[in-house]
Amino acid sequence: MTDRKSGRNADGTFGFGNPGKPKGTRHKATQAALALLEGEADALTRKAVEIALEGDTTALRLCLERIAPAKKDAPVTFNLPPMQSAADAAKAAGALLDAVALGELTPTEGAHVMALIETYRRTLETTELEERMAALEVEVGK
């Protein structure tokens, strides 16, 4: 049973045909806070810098995080054989495992690169299958 006023079912979920708030809609408290801060960004930033320069470590950390944010991703360099076919992906995966084993890459970096290799392998495999299907269709059509 759906409550007509709120549009919700008895268990609190939205009823049929009621998707709730649109995506990206902000909470009223967030909207109120943003309205209060509107036009104050320069003054607040200036004050945070002043407090940081006076020795407040929290303000200093906040300022530094904005100036030089933490590095989230970095390029990795190692030898990877070229991949021209799906079979070459096995060689590339082997080289990648060697790089991780030798400490050239971290296991996390290796996992990310392996995901790229796998995606590329699937792309090569799909392309190869399409070419084979096209050749078969030409042969059958003769």
Side-chain angles (χ1 to χ4, degrees), residues 7-57:
R8 293 182 179 256
N9 296 328
D11 64 356
T13 59
F14 288 110
F16 179 75
N18 182 359
K21 292 182 180 178
K23 288 188 184 272
T25 301
R26 293 189 168 159
H27 191 273
K28 286 182 184 178
T30 303
Q31 291 175 344
L34 290 173
L36 284 172
L37 294 173
E38 185 73 33
E40 301 296 333
D42 290 339
L44 289 170
T45 303
R46 199 171 14 265
K47 186 65 174 177
V49 170
E50 288 171 12
I51 293 170
L53 291 173
E54 290 172 2
D56 185 314
T57 56

Side-chain angles (χ1 to χ4, degrees), residues 95-117:
L96 177 64
L97 289 174
D98 289 343
V100 171
L102 294 172
E104 295 174 14
L105 298 175
T106 66
T108 302
E109 290 170 334
H112 289 294
V113 175
M114 184 61 84
L116 293 172
I117 290 171

